Amino acid sequence: MITAASTASPSSQRVGGTFIHSHGTKVFVPDRIDSVQDAVNQARFSEKRWVWIEDEANGYVRAQIIKDSEKSPRSPRYGKIEVQYESGHTCLVSSDKVYPMNPPKFDRVADMAELTHLNEPSVIHNLTLRYHAGEIYATVNPYRKLPIYSQEYIQSYRGRRRGELPPHIYAVADQAYHDMVHGGGDQSILITGESGAGKTENTKIVIQYLAAVANTAVRSEIEQQILQANPILEAFGNAQTIRNNNSSRFGKFIRIKFNNRSQICGANIEWYLLEKSRVHQQTRQERNYHVFYQLLSADESFKEDLLLGGKNARDYNFTKKSSITIEGVDDGEDFRNLIVNHYPLYLYSENKSLDIMGLSEKEKFNLFRIVAAVLHLGDINVTPNFRDRADIRDFKSIERVCHLLGIPAQEFKKSLLSPRIKAGREWVNQDRSAEQVQASLVALAKTLYERNFGSLVERINKGLDGQKSMEEHQFIGVLDIAGFEIFDVNSFEQLCINYTNEKLQQFFNHSMFELEQEEYKNEQIEWSYIDFGLDLQPTINLIEKANPVGILSCLEEECIIPQGSDKGLLQKLNKEWGNNDKSEGKYQKNRFDDGFVVVHYAGKVEYSTQGWIEKNKDPLNEDVTRLLARSTQPYIGKLFEEYLHDNEPTSSPIVGDHNNVIEFSKLRKGTGSFRTVGQRHKQQLLALMNTLESTHPRFIRCILPNSRKRGGEIQNKLVLNQLRCNGVLEGIRICRKGFPNRLSFDDFRKRYEILCPDQLPADRFIYGRKACEILLDTMELDPERYRIGLTKVFFKATVLAELEEIRERHVANCMSGFQAMCRRYMARQKMTRKSRQTEAIKVMQRNARIYVTLREWPWWKVYAKLRSMNDVMKEEVKIKEQGQKIAQQENQIKEQTEEIQDLTTKYQELTSQQKDYADLVQSQQAMLRELEESKQALVDKLAAHEKEMEEATKQAEAQANMIARMHQDIQECSDDNEQLATQCKSLQSRNETLTARVEYLENENNRLSKEKENGADVLKKELDQLKKSNEAQISTLKNECNEFKERLSETENNHRTTKDTFTKERSELKEEIKSLEERLHRESKERSDYETKHDTLQSGWKDMARLLQTETFEAQARAERLNQMLLQFGLSTTTGATEITGANS
């Protein structure tokens, strides 16, 4: 529903009217003032059959039907109707181009859903009447100042229900604030429309209202900052366009935060799609951003500091081709409202936005330093030399830029003309042409301005929400973003803007239409699904889908490949989406093969792909960016901080205050993975949609009345196209088609049971659905005008209004009867009071006559004289009574004093007990801490023991592996012994020594078995020594075997002739070797026996230790029992303990 606002005072418009229920809320419908004129118009309308006829020039015109339709042979579906225009001209018109007209009583209706015939000409006609009548729609740009945004209006709309006052944008903002305060969650207000429709002004009005209704003395500074953020953003982000003198060239989402007391506690601004191309390119009817002209209108002393002295906007290439001034706008005054009063000219300036935001002198100067640098960049003249290479002959222009940016001028020039690029692992200088250098300068100017704007928004956010308050509770977001753009030449920027509006329109349809019908489905009421306009998802898929590759994804691929071009992008898109079945008719090829056509919700848009690759990459001369990262100006260096750590051929010193340099995680070109403009915008849009889906949205559709920026003029076709594109007509139609009013069973029964008081029994239970059916049947409502769901009753538009009027009449009758009874009762009370007053007057008169009679009676005089003495006696009695009361109170005071003393002593005792308990608790806590410490120490010891056990296990495994290797070596020695036939005698002698050693070991074993109680440790040591000696002997045997092998080779060479003798000796040696093997087998068997004996000894030792421990425990238990017995018999504990100790020893 479009909101409206009147130019008159809100208090003066309440001249009379009635309340009706429309779309679930109570709406005030004012009475018509000129009833005579209405009657005349109605009579004129009834004389003829008036209709609306389509017209190419005016959209729709009025006409009257002369003759009804006749079937046409060319168009059998639609007949021909003869109509007569107001000019008197008659013609035949197809019936599909004829629309019915509403009666005059519906002219200037506030809620268009109440129109009898809801069609496009009726909507545009009603809108035009209200526009010309001064009942200006708040969403239609009036192109003039209106006195409807004053403090008086803010207070009038504050806390009012919808419909109590004429429609106004304040009503929308107040409803959002009211819903947030009463538990409605986060709110959002989406303000969209074409350029010049008034989005920026409406955004300021909403913020102004929210700051006013949530204003407190404590938070007034934050609210002032929120209001003053708009002039700053307008200076740096707004510009004059063909349709608008103050067009916002970027989208913003302002998040106003509230605490749990519904007071403003901070704000945050997110920005989207700054139009960077406007920095260097404008038409004659447009301007660059306002800040350029404001800076050039500043005081000369300030301009000289920025090297701009003595020049104006006509002297710079980036501004001289634009419209220099705007009618009614003073750029110098606007600049004085931004800058600090550091210069004499600004001493009288009262409202300085940058001061209110808390920017320091240096921060403000840095902002304008970038603006001045951009202007100077545009004045650098690049010319080709005799080799067609770029050259810059005016070195002064470079010096001006480098002075402001804090970089060396010679290096800057060299980086422009022959930048260093990386070819493999080497760095080489690449000569550039004049066109390439000029493109680099333009790209640098756009990037400087964009990053400066982003830094400004970040600084504003820091000022608005610098102190992250824990009181943040909920927020109201205000979205100000450009609407659909369809120009003669549409490029990449228009695709991004239209893609954003497709998503927002889909969100609008889902919020307004789909959820409505989903509720019908959940309530299981009889309802046939309605197709509300075009399906937006195919168009969105065409733009953003990754599989199949959409427009943005295809553009990303083309930007990544080395040979990517605009032509290649177009070929891929035609190949992927050229089939109409695949794109569902949303993608069409261009006739001239230089672009493509996308069918948007607002209509067909033809896009030219020229320059898309460069715009999406947004390339920069990285040699220049590295210079800017090392700027002597800290602000400049921070803007390009992510280029600071790029690989360079030489390491240059970093100049400036960059002690707190941090590594940014920004992805950009040159770092392996880069974020393009399209990818960044897609991610921002996804985050915005997630935020909006978590809020309760409200939509304000701003409308541009005419393209000539004139007040009081409205172009029907232009407005109608905007209404159709914004979905406003579709929203009105769903309100009429569906069931906009609904009540739960309980609410409906409570409110309208009064109309049928005897139908529902009060003494028994009845289900809510059944009760509603009984009430609706009794009311005799048409079943087509309502539906009964599972939990609610749904009504068509105006049904509840009729029921409410019937209920009000019934309630009025009841109240009239009640008032009559009250008046009768009050009248009777008044009569009774009058009669009692009359009787009292008569009694007073009678008593007065008696007094006059008695006043002269002698005995009465005597009585009057004695009456004073009676008063003295009464005083004495009173004194005695008071003395008795004083004595009683003194006794009570004594008793209370004693009770207080007793309570004091008890209190002191309780205090001392409390201290004792506190000391006891502290001691217990200390004991608990000690126990925990001891527990932790035991746990640490246990862990250490476990670690030692693991190490011992590992050592045992290592020893086992060593023994296995020894056995393997022995086996190898046995194999080698077969080849040692010539050395048998020496081996026999060795064997005899080994035999003697074995005998010795057996004797030692016998001795050790006898001394096992005391020699377990000695046995371990000897076994270790034996192992070591055996290992040494085995090593010596190995060495001897090696020597034997050498000798054997020599003997084979020397004694081949004695082969027969050697054969005999060899057989003898085999027998001896067998005997040796048997001995070795016996020795290994004996060794294993020794090991088993050692294990048995060790287990016996452990058993003995365990037995000794158990005996010790039993002895202690016996000692304790004996001690107890001694205590029982009266003996000394010390003596018994001594005896027990002696016995144990």
Side-chain angles (χ1 to χ4, degrees):
M1 173 182 169
I2 304 178
T3 58
S6 175
T7 56
S9 173
S11 59
S12 64
Q13 296 211 3
R14 291 294 303 274
V15 296
T18 58
F19 282 97
I20 66 169
H21 277 261
S22 177
H23 316 300
T25 57
K26 199 172 184 181
V27 180
F28 177 77
V29 180
D31 293 336
R32 292 188 175 273
I33 301 175
D34 195 353
S35 58
V36 176
Q37 185 65 35
D38 288 345
V40 172
N41 293 334
Q42 183 65 34
R44 180 174 178 269
F45 178 82
S46 302
E47 291 176 357
K48 302 175 183 179
R49 295 173 59 188
W50 290 96
V51 291
W52 295 104
I53 307 297
E54 286 189 13
D55 183 73
E56 293 183 0
N58 299 318
Y60 297 95
V61 295
R62 298 163 61 96
Q64 55 179 328
I65 297 177
I66 298 177
K67 188 176 181 180
D68 287 332
S69 63
E70 296 178 356
K71 295 294 183 180
S72 174
R74 294 185 179 180
S75 179
R77 183 178 178 184
Y78 300 105
K80 293 290 185 179
I81 300 176
E82 185 178 359
V83 298
Q84 181 181 4
Y85 295 101
E86 288 184 317
S87 60
H89 173 68
T90 60
C91 65
L92 293 176
V93 182
S94 177
S95 60
D96 63 326
K97 296 183 178 180
V98 179
Y99 301 92
M101 184 182 296
N102 288 293
K105 67 177 182 179
F106 291 100
D107 290 348
R108 294 159 49 194
V109 66
D111 190 352
M112 294 191 194
E114 299 174 3
L115 295 174
T116 304
H117 302 294
L118 182 63
N119 46 48
E120 292 182 358
S122 298
V123 172
I124 192 65
H125 174 66
N126 188 70
L127 183 63
T128 304
L129 289 178
R130 293 184 63 89
Y131 188 79
H132 290 306
E135 299 170 345
I136 303 298
Y137 276 78
T139 53
V140 181
N141 191 348
Y143 285 115
R144 58 191 175 95
K145 297 291 185 181
L146 297 177
I148 59 174
Y149 303 113
S150 61
Q151 193 66 28
E152 178 187 0
Y153 271 80
I154 292 176
Q155 297 302 324
S156 299
Y157 280 90
R158 183 173 184 175
R160 295 295 186 93
R161 294 178 299 176
R162 176 188 169 191
E164 288 190 44
L165 291 175
H168 199 289
I169 194 171
Y170 286 165
V172 179
D174 187 78
Q175 190 65 35
Y177 181 75
H178 177 271
D179 290 351
M180 183 200 69
V181 171
H182 292 83
D186 297 331
Q187 309 290 315
S188 62
I189 301 175
L190 283 70
I191 304 176
T192 59
E194 292 191 6
S195 177
K199 300 185 300 297
T200 303
E201 292 300 321
N202 280 316
T203 301
K204 291 192 289 186
I205 291 169
V206 170
I207 296 174
Q208 173 194 5
Y209 183 82
L210 293 176
V213 298
N215 185 21
T216 58
V218 179
R219 312 297 292 179
S220 59
E221 182 179 355
I222 292 179
E223 290 145 9
Q224 186 70 12
Q225 288 178 341
I226 293 173
L227 293 175
Q228 289 302 320
N230 268 311
I232 301 173
L233 295 177
E234 287 180 8
F236 285 85
N238 287 27
Q240 182 189 20
T241 62
I242 296 176
R243 293 182 174 180
N244 187 7
N245 292 338
N246 188 29
S247 176
S248 179
R249 307 316 299 160
F250 69 101
K252 58 180 177 290
F253 183 71
I254 304 174
R255 192 190 308 254
I256 303 174
K257 304 174 183 179
F258 297 83
N259 56 22
N260 52 10
R261 296 185 298 277
S262 304
Q263 299 170 352
I264 295 177
C265 62
N268 181 269
I269 300 174
E270 301 172 7
W271 61 280
Y272 311 93
L273 284 177
L274 178 69
E275 188 183 7
K276 297 187 293 182
S277 60
R278 184 168 292 272
V279 173
H280 69 97
Q281 186 178 7
Q282 316 92 31
T283 65
R284 287 292 181 184
Q285 294 81 21
E286 296 181 333
R287 291 211 314 176
N288 207 326
Y289 290 103
H290 294 326
V291 68
F292 289 101
Y293 306 92
Q294 293 173 1
L295 177 60
L296 293 173
S297 301
D299 182 55
E300 288 297 326
S301 59
F302 185 73
K303 289 166 60 177
E304 287 175 359
D305 291 344
L306 298 173
L307 308 180
L308 299 173
K311 293 185 178 182
N312 55 33
R314 294 181 176 85
D315 299 325
Y316 294 94
N317 292 331
F318 283 171
T319 56
K320 67 182 181 181
K321 296 180 182 179
S322 63
S323 176
I324 304 300
T325 59
I326 301 175
E327 184 180 356
V329 176
D330 186 354
D331 293 320
E333 183 64 25
D334 291 339
F335 182 78
R336 286 191 287 275
N337 289 333
L338 285 176
I339 198 67
V340 70
N341 52 8
H342 179 70
Y343 297 92
L345 182 61
Y346 313 129
L347 289 174
Y348 55 85
S349 182
E350 299 176 356
N351 186 15
K352 303 174 186 62
S353 300
L354 293 175
D355 285 345
I356 295 175
M357 296 307 302
L359 270 72
S360 64
E361 299 278 342
K362 190 174 182 180
E363 288 175 327
K364 297 171 192 172
F365 189 77
N366 286 332
L367 291 175
F368 295 104
R369 178 196 300 275
I370 299 294
V371 178
V374 170
L375 288 172
H376 290 306
L377 281 171
D379 283 352
I380 296 178
N381 189 17
V382 183
T383 58
N385 59 13
F386 64 95
R387 295 181 180 178
D388 291 335
R389 295 178 182 175
D391 188 18
I392 301 175
R393 299 175 182 176
D394 184 11
F395 193 69
K396 293 181 180 180
S397 60
I398 291 181
E399 288 180 328
R400 288 192 292 269
V401 173
C402 295
H403 173 74
L404 293 174
L405 297 180
I407 57 177
Q410 197 64 40
E411 292 187 22
F412 178 66
K413 180 180 178 181
K414 184 178 179 182
S415 299
L416 286 175
L417 300 180
S418 58
R420 292 171 295 180
I421 62 173
K422 197 169 186 181
R425 296 183 179 180
E426 301 295 332
W427 289 83
V428 297
N429 290 337
Q430 183 185 39
D431 293 332
R432 294 289 182 93
S433 64
E435 292 78 8
Q436 290 175 332
V437 174
Q438 193 65 43
S440 297
L441 289 172
V442 170
L444 179 61
K446 293 191 296 184
T447 302
L448 277 170
Y449 193 82
E450 183 187 33
R451 297 198 176 203
N452 187 47
F453 182 79
S455 177
L456 172 62
V457 175
E458 184 180 355
R459 180 61 183 84
I460 291 174
N461 288 335
K462 184 179 179 182
L464 295 176
D465 201 17
Q467 298 177 352
K468 301 286 184 181
S469 176
M470 298 301 293
E471 298 179 352
E472 180 182 333
H473 184 57
Q474 289 175 323
F475 71 86
I476 296 178
V478 183
L479 177 65
D480 172 12
I481 200 163
F484 281 100
E485 291 187 352
I486 305 176
F487 299 144
D488 294 336
V489 179
N490 301 284
S491 187
F492 178 65
E493 295 83 0
Q494 280 69 45
L495 177 71
C496 293
I497 293 173
N498 294 342
Y499 166 51
T500 302
N501 281 274
E502 286 283 345
K503 296 285 285 186
L504 292 175
Q505 187 64 39
Q506 186 184 46
F507 177 64
F508 173 75
N509 290 348
H510 180 72
S511 301
M512 301 301 294
F513 308 145
E514 297 298 331
L515 296 180
E516 182 81 9
Q517 297 186 95
E518 187 67 25
E519 185 173 4
Y520 295 163
K521 183 179 178 181
N522 294 335
E523 289 288 332
Q524 298 180 6
I525 66 174
E526 183 181 351
W527 172 259
S528 58
Y529 182 81
I530 300 177
D531 184 11
F532 297 110
L534 301 174
D535 185 13
L536 304 182
Q537 193 59 42
T539 305
I540 295 174
N541 291 339
L542 170 64
I543 298 174
E544 71 176 7
K545 200 169 183 180
N547 187 19
V549 181
I551 296 175
L552 291 179
S553 299
C554 189
L555 182 59
E556 297 294 325
E557 292 181 0
E558 201 66 21
C559 290
I560 292 173
I561 61 178
Q563 300 299 327
S565 63
D566 299 330
K567 186 176 180 180
L569 169 66
L570 184 59
Q571 291 175 353
K572 285 184 178 180
L573 290 176
N574 290 335
K575 182 179 178 181
E576 186 70 30
W577 296 97
N579 186 2
N580 288 331
D581 295 335
K582 190 172 184 180
S583 64
E584 299 184 23
K586 301 298 182 182
Y587 180 90
Q588 299 174 7
K589 296 181 180 179
N590 192 0
R591 293 179 300 172
F592 303 105
D593 200 21
D594 60 349
F596 57 89
V597 177
V598 176
V599 181
H600 287 284
Y601 184 80
K604 294 183 180 180
V605 182
E606 184 175 346
Y607 295 99
S608 173
T609 58
Q610 183 179 1
W612 279 35
I613 301 298
E614 294 299 320
K615 290 179 180 179
N616 193 40
K617 285 182 178 179
D618 201 13
L620 286 175
N621 186 333
E622 296 197 8
D623 212 11
V624 175
T625 57
R626 286 190 287 268
L627 280 178
L628 293 172
R630 300 194 303 272
S631 170
T632 57
Q633 297 294 335
Y635 178 73
I636 307 296
K638 188 176 180 181
L639 293 180
F640 295 87
E641 197 166 9
E642 69 270 23
Y643 292 90
L644 189 62
H645 301 287
D646 278 0
N647 295 327
E648 296 192 51
T650 58
S651 59
S652 301
I654 298 174
V655 186
D657 186 12
H658 291 288
N659 296 328
N660 297 324
V661 172
I662 59 175
E663 292 187 5
F664 282 80
S665 61
K666 295 181 180 178
L667 299 174
R668 59 170 182 82
K669 183 180 177 184
T671 57
S673 175
F674 64 92
R675 289 178 64 192
T676 59
V677 176
Q679 182 183 4
R680 184 170 65 248
H681 176 64
K682 184 177 178 181
Q683 292 176 354
Q684 287 180 336
L685 181 58
L686 178 62
L688 174 64
M689 298 309 300
N690 291 334
T691 302
L692 293 178
E693 288 172 0
S694 65
T695 64
H696 179 73
R698 284 169 176 79
F699 301 90
I700 297 177
R701 304 298 195 181
C702 299
I703 297 173
L704 179 69
N706 59 77
S707 58
R708 297 193 293 180
K709 295 186 281 190
R710 293 182 179 179
E713 179 181 345
I714 190 166
Q715 296 175 354
N716 290 344
K717 291 191 69 176
L718 178 62
V719 174
L720 187 61
N721 182 59
Q722 295 176 74
L723 292 174
R724 188 183 296 116
C725 295
N726 287 338
V728 174
L729 299 178
E730 206 67 27
I732 299 172
R733 186 165 67 90
I734 182 56
C735 293
R736 294 295 305 270
K737 282 273 188 180
F739 299 90
N741 302 326
R742 67 211 60 183
L743 288 173
S744 64
F745 292 154
D746 189 39
D747 292 340
F748 179 78
R749 180 176 178 179
K750 287 180 180 178
R751 187 160 187 82
Y752 297 108
E753 188 178 0
I754 191 174
L755 302 179
C756 310
D758 300 330
Q759 297 299 321
L760 300 179
D763 56 347
R764 65 186 181 90
F765 172 76
I766 185 171
Y767 288 102
R769 181 184 178 90
K770 185 64 177 177
C772 293
E773 289 177 352
I774 294 172
L775 292 176
L776 290 170
D777 291 340
T778 306
M779 295 175 188
E780 298 180 353
L781 281 178
D782 184 3
E784 294 297 326
R785 304 182 68 187
Y786 69 88
R787 294 287 188 273
I788 300 179
L790 299 178
T791 60
K792 300 176 184 177
V793 184
F794 295 81
F795 296 94
K796 288 278 189 180
T798 71
V799 174
L800 279 184
E802 296 174 3
L803 292 178
E804 194 67 22
E805 289 179 1
I806 297 172
R807 182 180 178 276
E808 287 180 357
R809 287 198 297 268
H810 187 79
V811 171
N813 294 333
C814 294
M815 291 303 297
S816 298
F818 178 71
Q819 289 175 352
M821 293 177 64
C822 291
R823 291 192 185 98
R824 182 179 61 184
Y825 175 77
M826 293 171 63
R828 288 181 177 178
Q829 290 290 333
K830 186 175 180 180
M831 292 299 296
T832 303
R833 187 168 59 254
K834 288 286 185 180
S835 62
R836 289 179 179 175
Q837 289 177 357
T838 303
E839 294 294 331
I841 290 171
K842 291 180 180 179
V843 172
M844 292 172 63
Q845 289 176 351
R846 185 172 61 251
N847 291 335
R849 293 189 189 98
I850 294 172
Y851 175 73
V852 171
T853 305
L854 291 176
R855 186 174 57 182
E856 301 299 332
W857 191 28
W859 288 104
W860 178 258
K861 294 179 179 179
V862 173
Y863 171 74
K865 291 179 180 179
L866 293 175
R867 188 169 58 185
S868 59
M869 297 176 64
N870 189 19
D871 293 337
V872 173
M873 294 177 63
K874 290 180 180 179
E875 290 293 332
E876 291 178 355
V877 172
K878 288 180 179 179
I879 291 170
K880 289 181 181 179
E881 292 176 354
Q882 288 178 356
Q884 293 176 357
K885 289 181 179 179
I886 290 169
Q888 292 177 358
Q889 289 178 356
E890 289 177 351
N891 294 330
Q892 291 178 358
I893 290 170
K894 289 180 181 179
E895 293 175 356
Q896 290 176 358
T897 303
E898 293 175 356
E899 290 179 359
I900 290 169
Q901 292 177 355
D902 295 338
L903 292 174
T904 303
T905 54
K906 289 181 180 180
Y907 174 74
Q908 293 175 355
E909 292 176 356
L910 291 173
T911 304
S912 61
Q913 291 178 2
Q914 184 181 4
K915 290 181 180 179
D916 296 338
Y917 289 149
D919 297 337
L920 180 61
V921 169
Q922 291 179 357
S923 62
Q924 289 179 352
Q925 290 178 351
M927 291 173 64
L928 182 61
R929 286 194 295 270
E930 291 177 357
L931 290 173
E932 289 179 351
E933 292 175 356
S934 61
K935 178 182 176 182
Q936 186 63 34
L938 291 173
V939 170
D940 296 338
K941 288 182 180 179
L942 180 60
H945 287 309
E946 290 179 351
K947 188 174 181 181
E948 290 176 358
M949 289 177 66
E950 290 178 357
E951 293 177 354
T953 304
K954 291 180 181 178
Q955 291 178 0
E957 291 177 353
Q959 290 178 359
N961 294 330
M962 187 182 295
I963 292 170
R965 288 195 301 272
M966 289 171 62
H967 284 297
Q968 186 176 359
D969 294 339
I970 292 170
Q971 185 65 32
E972 292 176 356
C973 291
S974 299
D975 295 337
D976 293 336
N977 286 334
E978 293 179 357
Q979 300 176 2
L980 302 176
T982 59
Q983 304 296 330
C984 289
K985 292 181 181 181
S986 61
L987 290 174
Q988 288 178 358
S989 61
R990 294 285 182 184
N991 287 331
E992 288 177 357
T993 56
L994 289 173
T995 303
R997 180 61 60 86
V998 168
E999 292 176 355
Y1000 174 74
L1001 291 174
E1002 289 179 352
N1003 295 328
E1004 290 293 329
N1005 188 20
N1006 294 329
R1007 184 175 61 83
L1008 289 173
S1009 61
K1010 294 178 182 179
E1011 299 176 358
K1012 65 180 178 179
E1013 294 181 358
N1014 299 322
D1017 296 333
V1018 178
L1019 182 60
K1020 289 181 181 179
K1021 294 179 180 179
E1022 290 181 356
L1023 286 173
D1024 294 335
Q1025 293 176 358
L1026 286 174
K1027 289 179 180 178
K1028 292 179 180 179
S1029 63
N1030 288 335
E1031 291 175 355
Q1033 290 176 3
I1034 290 168
S1035 62
T1036 55
L1037 285 173
K1038 286 182 179 179
N1039 296 328
E1040 291 176 355
C1041 286
N1042 294 329
E1043 294 176 358
F1044 293 157
K1045 287 179 181 179
E1046 294 176 357
R1047 293 176 185 177
L1048 183 60
S1049 63
E1050 292 177 358
T1051 53
E1052 286 178 352
N1053 295 327
N1054 297 328
H1055 299 285
R1056 287 181 181 178
T1057 56
T1058 59
K1059 186 176 181 181
D1060 296 334
T1061 308
F1062 177 75
T1063 303
K1064 294 179 182 179
E1065 292 177 355
R1066 183 180 179 184
S1067 60
E1068 294 175 357
L1069 286 173
K1070 283 184 179 179
E1071 293 178 357
E1072 291 179 358
I1073 287 170
K1074 288 181 180 179
S1075 62
L1076 288 172
E1077 288 178 351
E1078 292 176 355
R1079 289 182 181 179
L1080 287 172
H1081 181 68
R1082 287 195 301 272
E1083 183 179 359
S1084 61
K1085 186 175 180 182
E1086 289 173 355
R1087 184 178 294 172
S1088 63
D1089 294 338
Y1090 292 154
E1091 290 176 355
T1092 54
K1093 288 179 182 179
H1094 175 265
D1095 293 338
T1096 54
L1097 288 172
Q1098 191 171 5
S1099 62
W1101 175 260
K1102 290 180 180 179
D1103 294 338
M1104 290 176 63
R1106 194 181 301 110
L1107 181 62
L1108 181 61
Q1109 188 176 6
T1110 54
E1111 289 179 355
T1112 303
F1113 289 156
E1114 291 178 356
Q1116 290 178 356
R1118 287 196 300 272
E1120 290 177 358
R1121 289 197 298 271
L1122 183 59
N1123 192 6
Q1124 292 176 359
M1125 292 174 62
L1126 291 173
L1127 290 172
Q1128 289 178 0
F1129 289 105
L1131 297 177
S1132 174
T1133 305
T1134 307
T1135 307
T1138 305
E1139 293 176 358
I1140 292 168
T1141 305
N1144 289 333
S1145 62

